[in-house]
């Protein structure tokens, strides 16, 4: 086998694997039981698209595709960060969190309670 045949076979195989991954990931985006599952699947779709662009760059020998893949990676990262902030503000179920109106006394109680939860969460993470 010549090196050209090996590269051709590898790019065809990579295209088949990426196509299967794409279909499975689209299924997760559509069916995903929670919003975070869908967000992770969308991030995975960006990674798969970058893979497709890399395969096309190898097959055609056109190096500009690598720059396009890098730009897509940056945009995908920013989109994932934006979705993560959305989930933090709304909650994993997608519903808005109820706003609490606190006076001076209740505010200090709420802060203390949240700090205790934070300390408990940090202690629990180390014991796994």
């Amino acid at each position: 086998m010549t090196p050209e045949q090996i590269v051709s076979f590898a790019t065809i195989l990579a295209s088949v694997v990426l196509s299967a991954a794409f279909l499975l990931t689209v299924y997760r985006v559509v069916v995903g039981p929670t919003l975070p599952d869908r967000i992770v699947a969308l991030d995975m779709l960006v990674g798969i698209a970058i893979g497709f662009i890399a395969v096309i760059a190898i097959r055609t020998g056109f190096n500009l595709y690598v720059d396009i893949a890098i730009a897509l990676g940056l945009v995908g990262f920013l989109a994932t960060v934006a979705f993560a902030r959305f989930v933090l503000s709304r909650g994993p179920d997608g519903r808005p969190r109820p706003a609490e109106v606190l006076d001076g006394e209740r505010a200090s109680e709420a802060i203390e309670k949240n700090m205790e939860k934070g300390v408990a969460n940090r202690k629990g993470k180390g014991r796994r």
Side-chain angles (χ1 to χ4, degrees):
M1 265 179 113
T2 65
E4 291 84 15
Q5 290 174 332
I6 293 172
V7 170
S8 177
F9 177 73
T11 55
I12 291 170
L13 181 66
S15 297
V16 169
V17 170
L18 285 169
S19 297
F22 181 81
L23 292 175
L24 291 171
T25 307
V26 167
Y27 174 78
R28 179 52 57 200
V29 169
V30 172
V31 176
T34 64
L35 184 60
D37 289 331
R38 289 185 172 102
I39 292 170
V40 170
L42 285 172
D43 191 37
M44 186 68 194
L45 281 177
V46 171
I48 293 169
I50 291 170
F52 273 121
I53 292 170
V55 169
I56 291 170
I58 291 169
R59 284 193 68 88
T60 62
F62 195 54
N63 293 333
L64 184 63
Y65 286 121
V66 175
D67 296 336
I68 294 169
I70 291 170
L72 181 60
L74 293 172
V75 170
F77 171 74
L78 292 175
T80 302
V81 170
F83 280 135
R85 288 184 55 102
F86 175 75
V87 168
L88 282 176
S89 69
R90 306 232 353 147
D93 57 355
R95 291 188 215 133
R97 292 184 178 173
E100 293 182 26
V101 178
L102 302 173
D103 58 11
E105 261 181 47
R106 293 189 328 179
S108 62
E109 292 171 8
I111 290 170
E112 289 174 12
K113 188 171 83 172
N114 286 338
M115 288 182 68
E116 289 172 6
K117 281 183 186 177
V119 169
N121 285 341
R122 278 186 242 130
K123 287 180 182 176
K125 287 181 183 176
R127 295 182 184 171
R128 288 185 186 175

